[in-house]
Amino acid sequence: MTPAEKRNRLRAILKGDVCKSPATVWDALSARVAEAAGFDCGILSGSVCSATVLGAPDLALQTLTEFADQIRRITRASGLSVFADADQGYGNALNAMRTVEELEHAGLAGLAIEDLVMPAQFGRHREPELNSVQEAVGKLEAALSARQDASLVIAARTAALRIEPIARVVERTRAYAATGVDALFVTGLGKVDDLDAIRSAVDIPIMLGSAPAIPRAEAQARGVRFRLQGHAVLAVCAKAMHDTYMHLKADGDAEDLKSKMATAEEMARLMRVVDYQTWDDAYLN
Amino acid sequence: MTPAEKRNRLRAILKGDVCKSPATVWDALSARVAEAAGFDCGILSGSVCSATVLGAPDLALQTLTEFADQIRRITRASGLSVFADADQGYGNALNAMRTVEELEHAGLAGLAIEDLVMPAQFGRHREPELNSVQEAVGKLEAALSARQDASLVIAARTAALRIEPIARVVERTRAYAATGVDALFVTGLGKVDDLDAIRSAVDIPIMLGSAPAIPRAEAQARGVRFRLQGHAVLAVCAKAMHDTYMHLKADGDAEDLKSKMATAEEMARLMRVVDYQTWDDAYLN
Amino acid sequence: MTPAEKRNRLRAILKGDVCKSPATVWDALSARVAEAAGFDCGILSGSVCSATVLGAPDLALQTLTEFADQIRRITRASGLSVFADADQGYGNALNAMRTVEELEHAGLAGLAIEDLVMPAQFGRHREPELNSVQEAVGKLEAALSARQDASLVIAARTAALRIEPIARVVERTRAYAATGVDALFVTGLGKVDDLDAIRSAVDIPIMLGSAPAIPRAEAQARGVRFRLQGHAVLAVCAKAMHDTYMHLKADGDAEDLKSKMATAEEMARLMRVVDYQTWDDAYLN
Amino acid sequence: MTPAEKRNRLRAILKGDVCKSPATVWDALSARVAEAAGFDCGILSGSVCSATVLGAPDLALQTLTEFADQIRRITRASGLSVFADADQGYGNALNAMRTVEELEHAGLAGLAIEDLVMPAQFGRHREPELNSVQEAVGKLEAALSARQDASLVIAARTAALRIEPIARVVERTRAYAATGVDALFVTGLGKVDDLDAIRSAVDIPIMLGSAPAIPRAEAQARGVRFRLQGHAVLAVCAKAMHDTYMHLKADGDAEDLKSKMATAEEMARLMRVVDYQTWDDAYLN
């Protein structure tokens, strides 16, 4: 599957009638498992990249090129249409242009640029801060102009719901939509009313961050076509690892782990062993 | 903990009386969890690197620099003494020198160079092949000469038990030990007799690959000081991911995953959130 | 210019009537200068990559991913159609497949896989060695099968002229051409007769490594469409650096260097400063 | 030479009586040539990294990890004590901590964190802007606390001379020196009076950016121990490349380039061919 095909599959979802969810993925193995479980789309967020590459919280500590490397590993290993939360575009509008260039080159299907000031400014005492509308619009326009493949999805992501009154948020989203972005990505949504307000102002497809209070059907009825389910899988892996390490530390029997392990056949399928054997037979003998 | 301290901890294990095991780790998150579970040492094998970085089987497809990048992520994120299975030294004796240089620089505590021909030669029909003793010795001498920090552990790894009669294997290991390597790493061990034969020929510490038939006490009594427990944790993660993805694909309730997830507090500890908050208070406000 | 456009420009050269030469390039700056000097094509060889990235001789010490990173920097910075000397495909036929995947992804226009055994085998005393014809053909078939974009040029490179009698060389090249490669890349050519012999056996376009004894017109008349001019530019830079460093070490006047420097305007053009100013005005203010 | 030895050599210069200059270097080749020309110290600036890696102007477009990669190539290839202009620490105080961690790990001898707001903020119309003194001090304290090897030199770099009146600049430098940094790095110095004013306020060693109006002896007499000579060598290389490419484009005789090229013997020395031959003889035969 070419990058353009992966991008067009994501575009078809955005233009369709159904609200789909991507799998949270972060390396080649998670991408392969997500694909095996039937997912078409994957997402790499800044927080998950930071946790797995750096072991650090979500504080804009990873670099654009580290992030792009992880995207490349995921797109190389799988046919997933990968969407990335590209934070604030890794700097100002010029950095946002480079962000689009790097991530497009890494084979991404789509990305969101957020209106949050990142990394945190001096003296904010962990209070989040938004870019001015004008600055955010400048970044989105810059990102759009940097796109080489017109099929790459670019979304405007707003963190405003947690920071500003809804009227201001609506204003923002209207300005963002006017730049020509392909979708609006909303985080921190707590009630359907807010979604209604936004929906009445913009008619581009909506993407939703984790929003446990909003049932999928209600979101779908209001134009949401892509919706995150949180990154629970990472905490599941952390617990599974911990339990296994504790068992092995106590020199527990490996047999006892069997029921918790993917079988050798499943691992071989995930690693595409049959393909390599075919190539080995054809070209190496 | 400095790289030299991590190396000396591994040396102390090799010189001690007890057979210890490392945790299989591959990224910053797994390293942090292994540390939290009480492990002092970690191991990155070529197969685990290939699976998580490339989604490919263990066919010498990853590059030395990709491997070194993963080592760097692990050593940066954790205080583990990390040992690496550095395959055949990523080429000939000159490449083995570069392998030592790169991996030492990445902060590794120890590494093994194996006597297996890798990648597979043309026309072998997947039959493994050994380097000549002379060639393997040349690589080990090269590796030893490339070490900058004398505390870095360099082990000779032999795959000969699966390929050659025990008498030849013993000869090999004697030649390897004579190069001055810090340990002998034996894979494919099926019976205690073979370990006895090797032990009678070499008096350097022994490391063991997965050897389910050999009880730890018996291995320890014969000079084994470091012993792998297999890479089950990767297959455990694959299954945990798969179950989670299937649940989410079916739009299952996130609440149902709670019991399988590390808690938010545990994740925060793994990410060292408190440290970052302290630094934020001290330097950013 | 998209990768496919860059590839098709190289294909047009191969299918044309004229023998063209690429500029030796190795980083973003050299690529920009080559473009400014009117070159359409660039070449990155293993030796030049090794010299600039590692400071090492051409002994297969650089890794595939290091090589791909340099290619990426060159293709990102310039519109050159970049051709790469991809050594022996960085391992066996399976590694050659990964080589094609990585370099295609990096935006390369074309690459050559050589029939030389690399890195040097044990006990050869620096005598070069060729792959068997069967092994070389396996690698070329593997490389061709790994191509995603059919416009990527894949050439068979042979070092046989320096090692085997011409009759054997001709046999080799016939077998290579039969795999469907897009071109035959010949190194070590010393006389026109040998080129005639090869030409009479294969009718695909020919690429020539450095061959000072063969005039361009004679090469062109015999199907050569792409011809290296050696990597003199690197040694020119080394001398220019050395002279400059010596001057500065002696605390020489910076004014004295003026006549040897690109002007500030030229440097600004090479760095595309005007583009960034335009973007700054449009998106950052 | 170990990293600590390289760092202590730089410290000795700072504590000595003489004003020394580093060579501008950017890759393995330039580092080797600088060493051959007799330099002890090298410098990698953000602008030179951006030019050679990205082909872009000095607008904070390169990432920390790209910058660290270049440092690693330089420190791996040479015995130079490498000093880096680490821009603003690649973000806020927490990013500055990661900057120190990454660059220390890459083998750097010293680095400067600057008080300039980077990348440019929205709406500044290319007018540079300084961090508040408090913010800059927070970054320096963060950087110092992140140092693992106490021999690593950390300097406070100020761009204030071009932006603020001298009285304010003096106040800044006093606050910076009070953090315990090893040196003060001053850019944009136009007159000796300003240096006198700064010198009378701080008694740590001073580093100077390009300051053509200040004779070395006068700088040295006022505590300057490290002084850049500008990055002319890059523009010299750009012109040397351009002339060579133009010559080759016109199919000029390669012989004509001879007098401008380092000889084959010089190139072999730069690539340390003799070492590799010794190793080849010892370990590969």
Side-chain angles (χ1 to χ4, degrees):
Chain A
M1 213 176 197
T2 68
E5 287 165 344
K6 292 175 178 178
R7 288 163 191 156
N8 285 322
R9 181 169 58 183
L10 177 60
R11 288 194 167 267
I13 291 169
L14 294 178
K15 285 176 188 154
D17 299 326
V18 181
C19 175
K20 296 259 240 167
S21 291
T24 292
V25 291
W26 59 93
D27 62 7
L29 179 62
S30 58
R32 285 279 174 79
V33 179
E35 222 174 356
F39 278 90
D40 286 340
C41 296
I43 183 159
L44 180 63
S45 77
S47 66
V48 169
C49 179
S50 185
T52 54
V53 172
L54 300 178
D58 189 20
L59 296 169
L61 293 163
Q62 83 277 12
T63 71
L64 166 60
T65 41
E66 283 176 327
F67 191 72
D69 274 352
Q70 292 308 103
I71 297 286
R72 190 170 291 121
R73 292 176 182 190
I74 296 166
T75 59
R76 174 172 59 195
S78 80
L80 295 173
S81 296
V82 182
F83 187 84
D85 148 22
D87 283 357
Q88 89 293 20
Y90 289 88
N92 67 18
L94 302 182
N95 298 98
M97 295 180 75
R98 185 169 181 213
T99 297
V100 170
E101 183 187 16
E102 291 297 316
L103 299 185
E104 179 178 332
H105 187 276
L108 206 61
L111 63 92
I113 305 280
E114 193 169 32
D115 56 7
L116 206 55
V117 174
M118 295 175 70
Q121 295 282 86
F122 183 80
R124 297 286 308 177
H125 297 280
R126 287 174 234 155
E127 282 305 307
E129 187 180 6
L130 293 175
N131 289 140
S132 71
V133 175
Q134 208 186 347
E135 177 170 359
V137 163
K139 275 193 181 183
L140 295 172
E141 291 174 342
L144 290 165
S145 78
R147 184 164 58 182
Q148 298 288 310
D149 175 355
S151 64
L152 178 75
V153 170
I154 295 184
R157 174 164 156 155
T158 182
L161 273 174
R162 285 200 188 99
I163 304 176
E164 289 185 342
I166 182 68
R168 297 283 301 279
V169 177
V170 166
E171 230 176 274
R172 274 186 182 268
T173 59
R174 193 177 283 125
Y176 297 171
T179 62
V181 292
D182 301 301
L184 179 72
F185 192 123
V186 177
T187 65
L189 183 70
K191 43 187 186 178
V192 169
D193 284 1
D194 287 349
L195 184 56
D196 282 330
I198 291 169
R199 186 62 190 159
S200 68
V202 310
D203 67 351
I204 55 176
I206 295 178
M207 296 176 148
L208 260 198
S210 194
I214 316 290
R216 181 175 294 261
E218 304 229 13
Q220 185 173 296
R222 285 159 180 87
V224 177
R225 296 292 169 261
F226 198 80
R227 169 199 175 98
L228 306 201
Q229 296 172 292
H231 304 309
V233 66
L234 203 69
V236 168
C237 279
K239 184 171 186 336
M241 285 176 205
H242 195 264
D243 292 350
T244 308
Y245 288 139
M246 293 301 285
H247 181 77
L248 293 171
K249 192 88 190 68
D251 217 18
D253 199 327
E255 275 304 304
D256 299 348
L257 296 171
K258 274 276 154 63
S259 68
K260 294 170 183 162
M261 290 164 65
T263 64
E265 291 69 34
E266 283 161 349
M267 290 304 287
R269 256 199 309 277
L270 289 170
M271 296 302 121
R272 301 186 180 165
V273 167
V274 168
D275 286 349
Y276 285 96
Q277 288 175 341
T278 306
W279 298 328
D280 188 304
D281 290 343
Y283 308 126
L284 193 52
N285 280 294
Chain B
M1 213 174 198
T2 67
E5 288 165 344
K6 293 175 177 178
R7 288 164 191 156
N8 285 321
R9 182 169 57 184
L10 177 58
R11 287 194 168 266
I13 292 170
L14 294 179
K15 285 175 189 154
D17 301 325
V18 182
C19 175
K20 296 260 241 167
S21 291
T24 292
V25 293
W26 59 93
D27 62 6
L29 180 61
S30 58
R32 286 279 174 79
V33 179
E35 222 174 356
F39 279 91
D40 286 340
C41 297
I43 184 159
L44 180 64
S45 76
S47 66
V48 169
C49 179
S50 184
T52 54
V53 172
L54 300 178
D58 189 20
L59 297 169
L61 293 163
Q62 83 277 12
T63 71
L64 166 61
T65 41
E66 283 176 327
F67 190 72
D69 274 352
Q70 292 309 102
I71 297 286
R72 190 171 290 121
R73 291 176 182 190
I74 294 166
T75 59
R76 175 172 59 196
S78 79
L80 296 173
S81 295
V82 183
F83 187 84
D85 149 21
D87 283 359
Q88 88 294 21
Y90 289 89
N92 65 19
L94 302 181
N95 298 99
M97 295 180 75
R98 187 172 178 212
T99 296
V100 171
E101 182 187 18
E102 290 298 314
L103 299 185
E104 178 177 333
H105 188 276
L108 206 61
L111 63 90
I113 306 280
E114 193 169 33
D115 56 8
L116 206 55
V117 173
M118 298 175 68
Q121 295 282 85
F122 184 79
R124 298 284 311 176
H125 296 282
R126 285 174 236 156
E127 283 304 309
E129 186 180 5
L130 293 175
N131 288 140
S132 70
V133 175
Q134 207 187 348
E135 177 169 1
V137 163
K139 275 192 180 183
L140 295 172
E141 290 173 342
L144 290 166
S145 78
R147 183 163 60 180
Q148 298 289 310
D149 176 356
S151 64
L152 178 74
V153 171
I154 295 184
R157 175 166 155 154
T158 182
L161 273 174
R162 285 203 187 95
I163 304 177
E164 288 185 342
I166 181 69
R168 296 283 304 277
V169 177
V170 166
E171 228 177 276
R172 274 187 182 268
T173 59
R174 194 176 282 125
Y176 298 172
T179 62
V181 291
D182 300 302
L184 179 72
F185 192 123
V186 178
T187 64
L189 183 70
K191 44 186 185 179
V192 170
D193 285 359
D194 287 349
L195 185 55
D196 281 330
I198 290 170
R199 186 61 192 159
S200 67
V202 310
D203 67 350
I204 55 176
I206 296 178
M207 297 176 146
L208 262 198
S210 195
I214 317 289
R216 181 174 294 262
E218 304 229 14
Q220 186 172 296
R222 285 159 181 85
V224 176
R225 296 291 169 262
F226 198 79
R227 170 198 174 99
L228 306 201
Q229 297 173 291
H231 304 308
V233 65
L234 203 70
V236 168
C237 278
K239 183 170 187 336
M241 286 176 203
H242 195 264
D243 292 350
T244 309
Y245 288 139
M246 293 301 284
H247 180 78
L248 293 170
K249 191 89 190 71
D251 218 18
D253 199 326
E255 275 305 305
D256 299 348
L257 296 172
K258 274 277 153 63
S259 66
K260 294 170 183 162
M261 290 165 64
T263 65
E265 291 70 33
E266 285 161 347
M267 291 303 287
R269 255 198 310 276
L270 290 170
M271 296 301 122
R272 302 187 180 165
V273 166
V274 169
D275 285 349
Y276 285 95
Q277 287 175 343
T278 305
W279 297 329
D280 187 304
D281 290 343
Y283 308 126
L284 193 53
N285 281 294
Chain C
M1 213 176 198
T2 68
E5 287 166 344
K6 292 175 178 178
R7 288 164 190 154
N8 286 322
R9 182 171 55 185
L10 177 59
R11 288 194 168 268
I13 291 170
L14 294 178
K15 285 176 188 152
D17 301 325
V18 181
C19 175
K20 295 260 239 169
S21 291
T24 292
V25 293
W26 59 93
D27 63 8
L29 180 62
S30 58
R32 286 278 175 79
V33 179
E35 223 174 355
F39 278 90
D40 284 341
C41 297
I43 183 160
L44 180 64
S45 76
S47 66
V48 169
C49 179
S50 184
T52 54
V53 172
L54 299 178
D58 189 21
L59 297 169
L61 293 163
Q62 83 277 12
T63 71
L64 166 60
T65 41
E66 283 176 327
F67 191 72
D69 275 351
Q70 292 308 104
I71 297 286
R72 191 171 290 120
R73 292 177 182 189
I74 294 166
T75 59
R76 173 172 61 196
S78 79
L80 295 173
S81 296
V82 182
F83 187 84
D85 149 22
D87 283 356
Q88 90 292 21
Y90 289 88
N92 66 18
L94 302 182
N95 298 99
M97 294 180 75
R98 186 171 179 214
T99 296
V100 171
E101 183 187 17
E102 291 298 315
L103 299 185
E104 178 177 332
H105 188 276
L108 205 62
L111 63 91
I113 305 281
E114 194 170 30
D115 55 8
L116 205 55
V117 173
M118 295 175 71
Q121 295 282 87
F122 183 79
R124 297 285 309 175
H125 297 280
R126 285 172 236 157
E127 282 304 307
E129 187 180 5
L130 293 176
N131 289 139
S132 71
V133 174
Q134 208 186 344
E135 176 169 1
V137 163
K139 275 193 179 182
L140 295 172
E141 290 173 343
L144 290 165
S145 78
R147 184 164 57 183
Q148 298 288 310
D149 176 355
S151 65
L152 178 74
V153 170
I154 295 185
R157 175 165 155 154
T158 183
L161 272 175
R162 285 203 188 96
I163 303 177
E164 290 185 342
I166 182 69
R168 297 283 301 279
V169 177
V170 165
E171 230 176 274
R172 275 187 181 267
T173 59
R174 194 178 280 125
Y176 297 172
T179 62
V181 291
D182 300 302
L184 178 72
F185 192 122
V186 178
T187 65
L189 183 70
K191 44 187 184 178
V192 169
D193 284 1
D194 286 349
L195 184 56
D196 281 330
I198 291 169
R199 188 60 191 161
S200 67
V202 309
D203 68 350
I204 56 176
I206 295 178
M207 296 176 148
L208 261 198
S210 195
I214 317 290
R216 180 174 295 262
E218 303 229 14
Q220 184 173 298
R222 285 159 180 85
V224 176
R225 295 293 169 261
F226 198 78
R227 170 199 175 97
L228 306 201
Q229 296 172 293
H231 304 309
V233 65
L234 203 68
V236 168
C237 278
K239 182 170 187 339
M241 285 176 204
H242 194 264
D243 292 349
T244 308
Y245 288 139
M246 293 301 284
H247 181 78
L248 293 170
K249 190 88 189 66
D251 218 19
D253 198 327
E255 275 305 305
D256 299 348
L257 296 171
K258 275 276 154 64
S259 68
K260 294 169 182 162
M261 291 165 64
T263 65
E265 291 70 33
E266 284 161 347
M267 290 304 288
R269 256 198 309 277
L270 289 170
M271 297 302 121
R272 300 186 182 165
V273 167
V274 169
D275 286 349
Y276 285 95
Q277 288 175 342
T278 305
W279 297 329
D280 189 304
D281 290 343
Y283 308 125
L284 193 53
N285 281 294
Chain D
M1 214 176 197
T2 67
E5 287 166 344
K6 292 176 178 178
R7 288 163 191 155
N8 284 323
R9 182 169 56 184
L10 178 59
R11 286 193 169 268
I13 291 170
L14 293 178
K15 285 175 188 154
D17 300 326
V18 181
C19 176
K20 296 260 238 166
S21 290
T24 292
V25 292
W26 58 93
D27 62 8
L29 180 62
S30 58
R32 287 278 175 80
V33 178
E35 222 175 356
F39 278 90
D40 286 340
C41 297
I43 183 160
L44 180 63
S45 76
S47 66
V48 169
C49 179
S50 184
T52 54
V53 173
L54 299 178
D58 189 21
L59 297 169
L61 294 163
Q62 84 277 12
T63 71
L64 166 60
T65 41
E66 284 176 326
F67 191 71
D69 274 352
Q70 293 308 102
I71 296 286
R72 190 170 290 121
R73 291 176 182 189
I74 295 166
T75 59
R76 174 172 59 195
S78 79
L80 296 172
S81 296
V82 183
F83 187 85
D85 149 23
D87 282 359
Q88 90 292 22
Y90 289 88
N92 66 19
L94 302 182
N95 299 98
M97 294 180 76
R98 186 171 180 213
T99 296
V100 171
E101 183 187 17
E102 291 297 315
L103 299 185
E104 179 177 332
H105 188 277
L108 206 61
L111 64 89
I113 305 281
E114 193 168 33
D115 56 7
L116 207 55
V117 174
M118 296 173 73
Q121 295 282 87
F122 183 79
R124 297 285 310 177
H125 297 282
R126 286 173 234 156
E127 282 304 309
E129 188 180 4
L130 293 175
N131 289 139
S132 71
V133 174
Q134 209 186 346
E135 177 169 0
V137 163
K139 275 193 178 183
L140 295 172
E141 291 173 342
L144 290 166
S145 78
R147 184 164 58 182
Q148 298 288 310
D149 175 356
S151 64
L152 178 74
V153 170
I154 296 184
R157 175 165 154 155
T158 182
L161 273 175
R162 284 203 188 95
I163 304 176
E164 288 184 343
I166 181 70
R168 296 284 302 279
V169 176
V170 166
E171 231 176 274
R172 276 188 180 267
T173 59
R174 194 178 281 128
Y176 297 172
T179 62
V181 291
D182 301 301
L184 179 71
F185 192 123
V186 177
T187 65
L189 182 70
K191 44 186 184 182
V192 170
D193 285 0
D194 286 349
L195 184 56
D196 281 330
I198 291 169
R199 187 60 191 159
S200 67
V202 311
D203 66 352
I204 55 176
I206 296 178
M207 297 177 147
L208 261 198
S210 195
I214 316 290
R216 181 174 293 261
E218 304 230 12
Q220 185 172 297
R222 285 159 180 85
V224 176
R225 296 292 170 261
F226 199 78
R227 170 199 175 99
L228 307 201
Q229 296 173 292
H231 304 309
V233 65
L234 204 69
V236 169
C237 279
K239 183 169 187 338
M241 287 176 202
H242 194 263
D243 291 350
T244 308
Y245 289 139
M246 293 301 285
H247 181 77
L248 293 170
K249 191 89 189 65
D251 217 18
D253 199 326
E255 276 304 305
D256 300 348
L257 295 171
K258 275 276 154 64
S259 67
K260 294 170 182 162
M261 291 164 64
T263 64
E265 291 70 34
E266 284 161 348
M267 291 304 286
R269 255 197 310 276
L270 290 171
M271 297 302 122
R272 300 185 182 167
V273 166
V274 169
D275 285 349
Y276 285 96
Q277 288 176 341
T278 305
W279 298 328
D280 189 302
D281 290 342
Y283 309 125
L284 194 52
N285 281 294

